[in-house]
Amino acid sequence: MNRDTIIGFVLIALVLIGFSWYNSPSQEQIEAARMQDSIAMAKQDSLNALAKQQVKNEQKDSLTEAKTDSAALFFGALSGTSQKVVLKNEKVELTLDTKGGVIKKAKILDYQDLNGDKDLTLFDEKDQNLNFMLAGKNDNIVTNDLYFTPSEQTDSTVTMTAQAQNGGQVVLKYRLGKDYLLGFSLQVKGLANAFAPSYKEMEIEWTDHCRQHEKGFSFENRYTTIFYKAAKGDTDNLSESSDENETVEEELDWVAFRNQFFSVALISKENFARNANLVSSLEQKGTGYLKQFDAKLKTAFDPTGQKPSEFEMYIGPNNFRLIQDVEEQSAFGKDLDLEQLVNLGWWLFRLINRWFTLYVFDWLASFGFSMGIVLILITILLKVITYPMVKKSYMSSAKMRVLKPKLEEATKQYDKPEDQMKKQQEMMSLYSKYGVSPMGGCLPMLIQMPIWIAMFWFVPNAIQLRGQSFLWMDDLSTYDPIVEWNTNIWGIGDHLSLTCILFCGAQLLYTWFSMQQQKDQMVGAQAEQMKMMQWMMYIMPLMFFFIFNDYSSGLNFYYFISLFFSAAIMWTLRKTTDDEKLLAILEAKYQENKNNPKKQSGLAARLEALQKQSEELQRQRKNGYKK
């Protein structure tokens, strides 16, 4: 590994550290969390209880007032008995409540939850609520306040009807598809006179107290937030690491409450109107929740009842291929781009993951290999693909190594500080004559670096790794602790991850091995610079430990295996390289160039030009002093 390779690793470290910093809570947030002691928490609980009671009292007063007003449009629908209605297929089970007429509970079947249960409850009535509000001329219609009557019920369909005093109705129709897509509509009948002629939009309030579904609270939180898709634009999301309140000025196709591995997306056929308000608030570790999500939306509404307001809801796993298939089942004919819920990274890394990693991963998984074996095979395949570039980089370093004695002999007269430019020029001239490019290792390293970073995004978002064990790792999607404790230590957390220790240890050994190889090719000032860089290279594994201790064992295992094969390739190349034969080839190249001199180009030419400019400047200064 030469200087360019070192620069590449430093760039990787800076990108990873920068990403971790970008997604980490600010110092103010950390300090604020530390300040919350048991007294403050008790006080907050008391305030929350008081606020909830106040809301309940207000709702009770409002309901009592409505019930005493026999002229209220939906007087009869304001009281009734809550009943559960279940829609179910082979993938999902949805429970609706006649009070409010909306989904109150969603279970994803055959996905184990945090407690080990066979099916995962994504949310229940304590966590999520969907409320439709219609502003009438005299009475506001709020679906949460109404009791609906179910009819036309099957395993996958149901019609919910709230009856008005004048014979009018509010009708919610549901149809569950074969996978994870629920279609539904809201329509009024016989209520045209209850609304102003200009009334064309309904309001929607959608909230979710987002549950923790994975073992690693901090790690899951990094991938949990609100996503949304502009009707004439791209997908965007709120911050994962801080509280955020955003008003989106564009029309939206959909809004989604996204966990690391599961999402609930609400899609509107006629789009959500401009100025949708989206709020994401952080929760404390240990509460069983990650964040509080709130969305205030508006969409088209026909008060005449001729046209229903149509919606679809995706309730399922963040599986790229699966979401693509489900999106094709949508009846709205839009390019929803829902697969963006699987976060494959920034644009360059997303392209790599979208058009390479996904296909390779799916192909290897189709053979029935365990996910650990798939990660190993992906690593081997990437090493095979990049081997020509790695070999080119190594051979560039090997050529510099065998030429080191000649370079030292040719430049030994340039020991003064003012002669360093001449020394560099002489070295570049010799490299050119021997047909060696000192920058030969730069491009291969730059090509490999995006792949490394792409896997940094891909592995944590691959739901296929969730719950999959390999060797000592019980779950490749989360950390593998060898020691755990109850106190959270800054920078480390509450555990030590074995794969993280292996990865950082392998990085330390690989760095030491590379440094030993590098010493054989450095000349003069380069060797001194190398000594200065050593401390940075050796501290990188320590920095990686603080970054990756909370990351998934699958990602740490991949990096560990990748470093192992990199070291094996470097060791093999070193053992199979005949330095004497290589030097003979370079000598032959030198004689050829000596007999047929070529004009210098590239870095050597630029150094020569700089040297001439420096000499001319020194000559002018001397002449000025004489005058």
Side-chain angles (χ1 to χ4, degrees):
M1 185 173 71
N2 58 17
R3 180 176 57 185
D4 305 312
T5 307
I6 295 172
I7 293 173
F9 273 115
V10 172
L11 289 174
I12 292 175
L14 291 176
V15 171
L16 296 180
I17 293 169
F19 174 76
S20 178
W21 171 84
Y22 179 78
N23 285 276
S24 299
S26 66
Q27 187 63 34
E28 290 79 5
Q29 292 169 336
I30 295 172
E31 293 299 327
R34 291 176 177 175
M35 294 287 291
Q36 291 180 333
D37 55 18
S38 58
I39 297 177
M41 291 178 64
K43 181 179 179 181
Q44 185 63 44
D45 290 342
S46 177
L47 290 174
N48 290 340
L50 183 62
K52 288 180 180 179
Q53 186 61 43
Q54 183 177 353
V55 170
K56 288 181 180 179
N57 291 338
E58 291 175 356
Q59 292 175 342
K60 184 176 180 181
D61 292 343
S62 175
L63 186 59
T64 302
E65 180 181 350
K67 287 181 177 179
T68 57
D69 183 6
S70 60
L73 185 60
F74 279 87
F75 171 75
L78 291 173
S79 59
T81 302
S82 174
Q83 302 177 36
K84 306 300 182 185
V85 176
V86 177
L87 303 181
K88 185 177 181 180
N89 58 24
E90 294 181 353
K91 304 295 181 62
V92 65
E93 179 182 300
L94 306 177
T95 302
L96 289 74
D97 196 329
T98 55
K99 173 66 188 307
V102 295
I103 302 172
K104 294 296 184 179
K105 185 178 182 179
K107 293 181 73 172
I108 310 297
L109 306 182
D110 297 324
Y111 280 92
Q112 194 174 71
D113 71 2
L114 191 59
N115 298 318
D117 293 336
K118 179 178 179 292
D119 302 323
L120 181 141
T121 299
L122 191 57
F123 62 83
D124 62 19
E125 59 187 0
K126 301 189 300 294
D127 307 325
Q128 188 168 136
N129 186 56
L130 182 62
N131 187 24
F132 299 93
M133 295 171 289
L134 308 173
K137 289 188 292 187
N138 300 315
D139 298 295
N140 292 332
I141 303 172
V142 181
T143 57
N144 269 355
D145 293 339
L146 305 180
Y147 284 85
F148 289 76
T149 301
S151 62
E152 302 175 5
Q153 183 178 352
T154 68
D155 288 342
S156 59
T157 61
V158 68
T159 297
M160 297 278 201
T161 306
Q163 196 72 39
Q165 295 291 89
N166 65 351
Q169 297 176 335
V170 174
V171 181
L172 287 164
K173 289 187 176 183
Y174 293 90
R175 182 183 62 82
L176 179 62
K178 64 179 182 179
D179 289 316
Y180 300 94
L181 193 65
L182 175 72
F184 66 99
S185 64
L186 186 149
Q187 186 176 17
V188 296
K189 297 179 180 181
L191 297 175
N193 294 330
F195 302 97
S198 61
Y199 185 68
K200 300 295 181 182
E201 284 186 336
M202 73 167 74
E203 295 184 29
I204 302 171
E205 287 187 350
W206 186 29
T207 63
D208 181 30
H209 203 186
C210 186
R211 287 188 178 190
Q212 179 183 345
H213 296 295
E214 313 305 324
K215 181 169 67 174
F217 172 85
S218 300
F219 190 60
E220 185 181 4
N221 234 333
R222 289 187 179 98
Y223 301 94
T224 300
T225 188
I226 298 179
F227 273 68
Y228 57 90
K229 163 72 166 55
K232 297 181 179 179
D234 298 324
T235 305
D236 204 348
N237 61 273
L238 271 58
S239 171
E240 297 95 338
S241 59
S242 61
D243 296 343
E244 188 167 1
N245 185 329
E246 181 174 350
T247 299
V248 185
E249 297 180 355
E250 303 171 273
E251 290 188 5
L252 302 178
D253 279 331
W254 51 263
V255 175
F257 297 157
R258 177 190 183 274
N259 284 70
Q260 181 182 2
F261 291 127
F262 302 94
S263 292
V264 182
L266 181 62
I267 308 160
S268 174
K269 183 177 182 179
E270 300 298 329
N271 302 337
F272 294 114
R274 300 173 185 270
N275 298 319
N277 182 243
L278 308 176
V279 181
S280 174
S281 306
L282 297 171
E283 288 286 352
Q284 291 183 346
K285 184 176 181 179
T287 61
Y289 292 94
L290 301 170
K291 292 182 173 72
Q292 173 68 44
F293 294 146
D294 297 276
K296 293 183 179 179
L297 312 166
K298 292 183 179 181
T299 193
F301 169 70
D302 180 9
T304 67
Q306 296 180 8
K307 184 178 180 181
S309 298
E310 297 184 62
F311 305 90
E312 289 177 336
M313 186 175 278
Y314 174 77
I315 307 172
N318 299 333
N319 183 310
F320 193 92
R321 300 299 186 200
L322 172 64
I323 293 177
Q324 282 186 317
D325 293 340
V326 171
E327 186 172 330
E328 292 180 359
Q329 301 171 23
S330 172
F332 295 165
K334 293 183 177 184
D335 183 13
L336 296 174
D337 211 16
L338 273 172
E339 61 268 18
Q340 293 282 349
L341 290 172
V342 182
N343 194 350
L344 297 178
W346 304 325
W347 70 271
L348 174 61
F349 313 123
R350 184 173 185 84
L351 287 176
I352 295 172
N353 286 327
R354 172 67 179 85
W355 300 107
F356 175 77
T357 313
L358 267 172
Y359 282 97
V360 173
F361 188 87
D362 291 343
W363 174 63
L364 292 174
S366 68
F367 290 100
F369 297 126
S370 71
M371 290 297 105
I373 297 296
V374 168
L375 289 176
I376 293 174
L377 293 176
I378 286 179
T379 306
I380 294 174
L381 180 61
L382 290 174
K383 293 302 178 184
V384 170
I385 293 173
T386 58
Y387 177 76
M389 294 175 286
V390 172
K391 184 176 180 180
K392 180 180 178 181
S393 176
Y394 174 80
M395 292 308 297
S396 177
S397 299
K399 290 174 182 179
M400 294 171 65
R401 183 181 68 246
V402 299
L403 288 177
K404 179 180 178 180
K406 294 184 177 294
L407 290 171
E408 289 178 337
E409 180 65 24
T411 60
K412 63 183 180 180
Q413 68 271 31
Y414 303 118
D415 289 335
K416 298 179 181 179
E418 61 268 21
D419 293 335
Q420 290 305 305
M421 183 68 74
K422 290 183 179 180
K423 185 173 185 176
Q424 289 294 325
Q425 181 183 349
E426 182 65 22
M427 289 173 60
M428 295 306 300
S429 177
L430 284 171
Y431 281 140
S432 179
K433 291 175 181 178
Y434 280 101
V436 176
S437 173
M439 303 298 291
C442 183
L443 182 60
M445 190 61 214
L446 291 177
I447 292 175
Q448 291 183 84
M449 185 173 67
I451 297 175
W452 239 58
I453 300 175
M455 292 300 290
F456 176 82
W457 290 90
F458 179 81
V459 175
N461 287 285
I463 193 172
Q464 294 87 342
L465 301 180
R466 186 179 186 272
Q468 297 297 309
S469 61
F470 184 68
L471 299 178
W472 68 88
M473 295 164 281
D474 294 331
D475 187 346
L476 289 168
S477 70
T478 188
Y479 60 84
D480 56 324
I482 54 172
V483 179
E484 291 185 276
W485 52 86
N486 295 325
T487 304
N488 188 60
I489 300 176
W490 182 87
I492 298 179
D494 57 3
H495 65 275
L496 289 178
S497 173
L498 179 56
T499 50
C500 179
I501 294 172
L502 290 175
F503 161 45
C504 296
Q507 177 67 47
L508 186 63
L509 292 175
Y510 181 74
T511 299
W512 177 84
F513 181 71
S514 301
M515 290 294 180
Q516 300 306 307
Q517 298 290 320
Q518 198 77 1
K519 288 180 181 179
D520 296 335
Q521 68 184 60
M522 293 299 180
V523 179
Q526 289 182 335
E528 295 300 320
Q529 293 174 2
M530 185 67 181
K531 292 179 181 179
M532 296 175 62
M533 292 182 65
Q534 280 184 349
W535 70 269
M536 182 182 296
M537 297 302 298
Y538 283 125
I539 205 170
M540 278 176 57
L542 180 61
M543 293 188 295
F544 283 157
F545 172 77
F546 288 107
I547 295 173
F548 287 92
N549 187 51
D550 208 32
Y551 273 64
S552 68
S553 57
L555 181 63
N556 282 317
F557 180 71
Y558 165 77
Y559 283 147
F560 169 67
I561 294 297
S562 181
L563 284 168
F564 172 81
F565 282 113
S566 295
I569 290 171
M570 182 180 292
W571 182 85
T572 303
L573 288 172
R574 183 68 180 91
K575 289 296 182 181
T576 56
T577 300
D578 188 331
D579 287 1
E580 293 183 0
K581 185 177 180 180
L582 181 59
L583 182 59
I585 295 173
L586 294 175
E587 290 288 2
K589 186 71 174 179
Y590 176 80
Q591 291 300 326
E592 179 185 344
N593 290 334
K594 185 177 180 181
N595 297 330
N596 300 287
K598 298 179 181 179
K599 184 179 179 181
Q600 288 187 345
S601 61
L603 182 59
R606 290 193 292 271
L607 285 172
E608 183 178 3
L610 288 172
Q611 176 63 25
K612 290 181 178 179
Q613 292 177 9
S614 178
E615 291 175 351
E616 177 63 22
L617 183 60
Q618 290 179 7
R619 186 184 61 79
Q620 291 177 1
R621 285 177 177 175
K622 289 181 180 179
N623 291 337
Y625 292 150
K626 290 179 180 179
K627 292 178 180 180

